[in-house]
Amino acid sequence: KGPTGSVPSRRLSDAGQGHRVSGITTTNLDLSESLSLNRFRSWSTDTGDIAEEPNTCCSHVRLCLSYFNLIGAFKIPTGAIDSFVVALRSRYSQRAAYHNWSHAFTTLHATFLLLDSWAFWGLLPPEDTLGLLLAALGHDVEHLGYTNSFLVNTRHVLALRYNDISVLENHHASTTCTLLASGRAGE
């Protein structure tokens, strides 16, 4: 059941009819946004194409945040979301076979779908939902393509910085939070 105790509609097939879906009303979406959101709400969506284009990435992140009414609840400027996404995307290695932007965006998609499932419906407060979605995007930012053990054993600068404890995880979290806190994600 949804937060109000009623069973919320989980379909956007009636988009444009003014139906309420999670935090947004479908009449607030233009047709392409409605179709994008409907497509994004499927486990069969290939996120690789979406992840390739920066503008498409930004619009999908905005849709995810809007879907859970996070933009309105936290008064997040659209430009701040776009700057954060672009800055984060630029810090993912293009050489990494796995820990790259496509993987980060796929993780966002999976996290979005799990949060949208009946198991999580209304379970988490908005700040936790926002945190999970942003963490999904930043969870491997600036990954070097090596394991924590390798970084510790080679006395890499990151291993020294983080005292050999969860080196990569600490670095990903630090980088993501630094971009968020700066308010100037593009710098």
Side-chain angles (χ1 to χ4, degrees), residues 15 79 83 94 118 123 132 141 147 162 164 168 178 181:
S83 294
Q94 294 180 356
W118 292 111
L123 182 66
L132 279 171
V141 67
T147 65
Y162 298 111
D164 297 341
L168 290 166
T178 298

Side-chain angles (χ1 to χ4, degrees), residues 8 44 113 181:
S44 63
L113 291 172

Side-chain angles (χ1 to χ4, degrees), residues 91-101 142-146:
R91 290 181 180 233
Y92 271 89
S93 172
Q94 294 180 356
R95 297 184 329 251
Y98 183 73
H99 297 101
N100 53 38
W101 176 250
E142 293 186 353
H143 200 291
L144 302 173
Y146 302 108

Side-chain angles (χ1 to χ4, degrees), residues 20-71:
R20 188 156 178 82
V21 179
S22 191
I24 59 176
T25 304
T26 57
T27 52
N28 295 341
L29 301 176
D30 65 30
L31 183 58
S32 76
E33 288 174 321
S34 181
L35 292 172
S36 292
L37 182 57
N38 204 22
R39 179 177 160 218
F40 205 65
R41 293 182 69 223
S42 169
W43 284 102
S44 63
T45 298
D46 179 5
T47 57
D49 292 341
I50 299 169
E52 290 299 313
E53 172 57 40
N55 290 335
T56 306
C57 290
C58 291
S59 68
H60 277 76
V61 171
R62 287 192 312 270
L63 281 173
C64 287
L65 298 179
S66 293
Y67 181 77
F68 293 109
N69 195 30
L70 300 170
I71 293 174

Side-chain angles (χ1 to χ4, degrees), residues 112-178:
F112 171 80
L113 291 172
L114 289 170
L115 289 170
D116 188 37
S117 72
W118 292 111
F120 287 97
W121 185 257
L123 182 66
L124 300 174
E127 56 271 14
D128 289 351
T129 301
L130 178 62
L132 279 171
L133 291 168
L134 297 179
L137 274 179
H139 81 280
D140 273 334
V141 67
E142 293 186 353
H143 200 291
L144 302 173
Y146 302 108
T147 65
N148 283 330
S149 295
F150 178 84
L151 297 175
V152 169
N153 291 334
T154 59
R155 296 187 176 128
H156 191 277
V157 66
L158 291 180
L160 296 172
R161 178 178 299 151
Y162 298 111
N163 263 346
D164 297 341
I165 300 170
S166 303
V167 176
L168 290 166
E169 292 77 11
N170 278 308
H171 184 65
H172 306 321
S174 175
T175 302
T176 302
C177 290
T178 298

